[in-house]
Amino acid sequence: MTIVAFAHHKGGTGKTTSCINIAGFLQKDGKKVLVVDCDPQANATVGLGIDPDSLEKSMYDAFMGIFEGFPDVAVSDIIVTTEAGIDLAPATLDLVGVEPYLYNIEDRAGVLKELLAPIVPVYDYILIDTPPSMGQFVINGLVAADHTVVTLDPGTFALKGIGTLSTIFEDMGDLLGASIETDVAILTRWRGADREEPAAGGLAVFIKRLFGPRSSPDDEKERERLVALENEVKNQFKQVFTVPYSPRIYETQQRGLPISHYAPDSDAAETYRTIASAIKNWG
């Protein structure tokens, strides 16, 4: 059994998208998979087709169950099976109310690990989606996990973000008394220098090169920036994957299904299939 945390202190990096889509390919390979949504925004919950407002119990109840005066609720009590066949421990906005309570207990970093312990034997993979912050839910996710996946977007500040993230992980490791190993980095929505425009190919590419506008100095500068970003990420992480930009990603999110179940033949799906295969090697 393998537990994987998806983490980044910045929003919009494709963290939840990667978590859901990797879970989808693991499930399609016959593995029993649980996604644990530890983000009060509940994006993983919505992304797997579950309306947070329809839930009677969620990760809020599981966390609060450890405190006196609240009902004792196990993670197994809140799990729902999604249309994709992936089990989900869902989140709601109520999860925001848990963090102040966690600051009042000594072993606050290990709460999620303890909550998951009874169901660990049930699953082949547990994937934890953490919020875009470095608060208690992220710390709990990292402590509970065997491996950590970091997602990065191709934006202007991504290169600076790598250094910030490394510093945060080092500080957290010192605080917890154990190093935090980041096993995989995923560059999402990637339009690197080695990729054509989405959905382009064959004659379309030839015509674009023949009649399209010449590259401007700004275009060349952008290509150099992306190459520098990709090289730096490869220097910092053991394995690096680039997921191409694809409108199919957004379609899958609206449908409440992972790309493995909605558009398995797309370029982005092929990369997520490869990442899922790499994660299976950890087990």
Side-chain angles (χ1 to χ4, degrees):
M1 200 287 308
T2 303
I3 301 178
V4 184
F6 291 75
H8 199 291
H9 63 287
K10 177 179 174 291
T13 63
K15 174 177 52 60
T16 300
T17 298
S18 296
C19 176
I20 290 172
N21 290 331
I22 291 168
F25 278 111
L26 291 172
Q27 189 277 335
K28 289 201 83 173
D29 195 47
K31 305 301 181 183
K32 191 165 179 60
V33 183
L34 171 69
V35 170
V36 180
D37 193 349
C38 283
D39 185 351
Q41 296 178 88
N43 289 332
T45 299
V46 174
L48 285 171
I50 303 298
D51 179 5
D53 293 335
S54 70
L55 298 167
E56 294 183 5
K57 294 178 181 178
S58 67
M59 282 302 294
Y60 167 82
D61 300 281
F63 272 107
M64 294 305 293
I66 71 169
F67 297 105
E68 187 176 352
F70 290 89
D72 186 9
V73 176
V75 172
S76 58
D77 296 330
I78 69 167
I79 290 174
V80 295
T81 300
T82 66
E83 182 181 344
I86 299 165
D87 279 0
L88 170 70
T92 63
L93 187 58
D94 292 339
L95 197 56
V96 172
V98 172
E99 199 152 14
Y101 283 86
L102 291 176
Y103 280 106
N104 291 324
I105 60 175
E106 185 175 348
D107 188 26
R108 52 183 171 268
V111 172
L112 181 60
K113 186 173 183 177
E114 291 297 317
L115 289 174
L116 294 178
I119 61 171
V120 162
V122 177
Y123 292 95
D124 297 308
Y125 295 92
I126 296 176
L127 307 187
I128 304 170
D129 187 41
T130 65
S133 68
M134 278 298 157
Q136 289 303 312
F137 293 128
V138 179
I139 294 172
N140 267 259
L142 295 174
V143 170
D146 305 307
H147 302 274
T148 302
V149 172
V150 171
T151 55
L152 301 156
D153 69 341
T156 304
F157 302 109
L159 195 57
K160 182 180 178 182
I162 296 172
T164 303
L165 195 63
S166 298
T167 301
I168 290 171
F169 280 176
E170 287 175 9
D171 291 345
M172 288 175 62
D174 292 341
L175 179 66
L176 300 171
S179 62
I180 297 171
E181 297 293 334
T182 49
D183 301 272
V184 163
I186 302 174
L187 290 162
T188 62
R189 300 190 300 278
W190 193 247
R191 287 176 169 172
D194 59 337
R195 293 192 183 274
E196 300 294 344
E197 289 297 316
L203 181 61
V205 172
F206 173 77
I207 292 174
K208 180 178 178 181
R209 287 175 176 171
L210 188 64
F211 297 106
R214 299 295 181 184
S215 296
S216 69
D218 286 344
D219 292 335
E220 186 60 34
K221 191 173 181 179
E222 175 64 5
R223 277 194 291 270
E224 290 174 359
R225 185 187 70 81
L226 291 173
V227 169
L229 172 58
E230 188 169 4
N231 288 338
E232 180 60 25
V233 173
K234 288 178 178 178
N235 286 335
Q236 295 286 337
F237 296 91
K238 297 175 185 177
Q239 286 184 289
V240 178
F241 297 92
T242 57
V243 179
Y245 168 83
S246 171
R248 305 310 295 274
I249 291 287
Y250 302 100
E251 293 172 21
T252 64
Q253 291 170 345
Q254 292 173 347
R255 181 63 179 79
L257 287 170
I259 200 167
S260 53
H261 292 60
Y262 181 80
D265 297 326
S266 62
D267 289 345
E270 190 59 40
T271 303
Y272 279 122
R273 182 183 289 110
T274 301
I275 301 170
S277 296
I279 287 176
K280 282 190 293 183
N281 291 332
W282 296 344

